[in-house]
Amino acid sequence: MNAIRLLLVDDDPLVRSGLRFMLGGADDVEIVGEAADGEEALTRAAALRPDVVLMDIRMPVLDGLAATERLRAREDAPEIVVLTTFHADEQVLRALRAGAAGFVLKDASPADILGAVRSVASGDPVLSPAVTRQLMTHAAASGREVRAARARARFGELAEREREVATEVGRGKSNAQIAATLYMSVATVKTHVSRVMTKLDLDNRVQIALLVHDAGLLDEG
């Protein structure tokens, strides 16, 4: 199995040095480069083709939010994990809507940061049910009403079973938990999740969860 190619992006050289020290010893992770701002991150990502980018949000020249949006718009885009000092921050939410696969706190343990890198590299978002609920609450206070009608219209494109699966994703459940709740196989759940992302033009489960909340589907349950 090939090592996970990782790009570190933060304007603080001490933070980058700390991350390199914490993560550099993992056998399954290769730190291929560093960047000090979003513009440099775009250039370095194009040249180095990382699998995962650890992305700070607040940086000079080009911030991490804009860099995330541009990176995720590329073909063969890397997975992005946002580095932040806040659990629920409007910029974190915007990064998740732009396609980031999750976030980790800068003061998280090395094991948690390494776990986040491994999770997104394997296609799993980095949001626990508790953190998902916190983000959903924050989202409600930042303009949910404006997005609700549009989100409901998008969910109108889904079949009933796809909508049920999407709603359970919005509750932060794993595929196995969804399968048990809806009495279907895990393979069938995976198929429905893939169809939901394709039909709604979404990148990952985090974006499904945010859209579910925007549409008010959790309130219905």
Side-chain angles (χ1 to χ4, degrees):
M1 179 178 179
N2 295 330
I4 300 165
R5 296 174 59 80
L6 178 65
L7 177 65
L8 306 177
V9 183
D10 196 292
D11 63 327
D12 188 337
L14 291 178
V15 172
R16 297 198 308 273
S17 178
L19 290 170
R20 181 176 284 275
F21 177 78
M22 286 191 295
L23 305 176
D27 294 336
D28 58 343
V29 174
E30 177 188 1
I31 299 176
V32 295
E34 301 178 9
D37 58 64
E39 195 67 53
E40 185 179 5
L42 296 177
T43 301
R44 299 287 282 166
L48 300 171
R49 301 182 66 81
D51 301 308
V52 179
V53 177
L54 272 178
M55 178 81 74
D56 188 24
I57 290 183
R58 296 169 176 83
M59 295 184 293
V61 184
L62 185 71
D63 65 28
L65 175 61
T68 294
E69 292 173 338
R70 296 187 192 182
L71 279 176
R72 290 301 300 172
R74 293 178 175 178
E75 291 186 11
D76 300 322
E79 298 294 344
I80 297 175
V81 178
V82 173
L83 285 168
T84 180
T85 55
F86 300 98
H87 282 91
D89 177 88
E90 177 60 26
Q91 289 186 308
V92 173
L93 282 166
R94 290 176 61 193
L96 295 174
R97 292 185 191 282
F103 72 89
V104 291
L105 298 178
K106 286 189 175 183
D107 60 358
S109 70
D112 286 343
I113 296 176
L114 182 58
V117 171
R118 288 170 172 159
S119 291
V120 300
S122 65
D124 296 322
V126 186
L127 283 180
S128 68
V131 171
T132 298
R133 287 193 295 270
Q134 187 175 12
L135 283 169
M136 296 304 100
T137 299
H138 189 75
S142 58
R144 170 184 162 189
E145 296 81 3
V146 176
R147 297 187 297 268
R150 182 169 55 186
R152 283 183 175 274
R154 294 182 69 185
F155 274 106
E157 303 172 21
L158 302 180
E160 181 179 355
R161 209 56 167 161
E162 293 166 348
R163 180 184 170 112
E164 290 174 347
V165 169
T167 301
E168 297 306 318
V169 170
R171 292 192 171 98
K173 292 184 179 180
S174 67
N175 286 342
Q177 291 170 326
I178 295 171
T181 299
L182 299 180
Y183 304 103
M184 60 177 66
S185 69
V186 173
T188 301
V189 172
K190 290 181 180 179
T191 298
H192 283 314
V193 171
S194 295
R195 287 176 179 170
V196 169
M197 288 192 288
T198 298
K199 287 185 177 182
L200 301 183
D201 192 24
L202 301 176
D203 290 327
N204 54 48
R205 297 168 73 97
V206 176
Q207 290 182 321
I208 294 176
L210 289 169
L211 197 62
V212 164
H213 190 272
D214 287 346
L217 298 185
L218 300 185
D219 298 334
E220 296 175 359

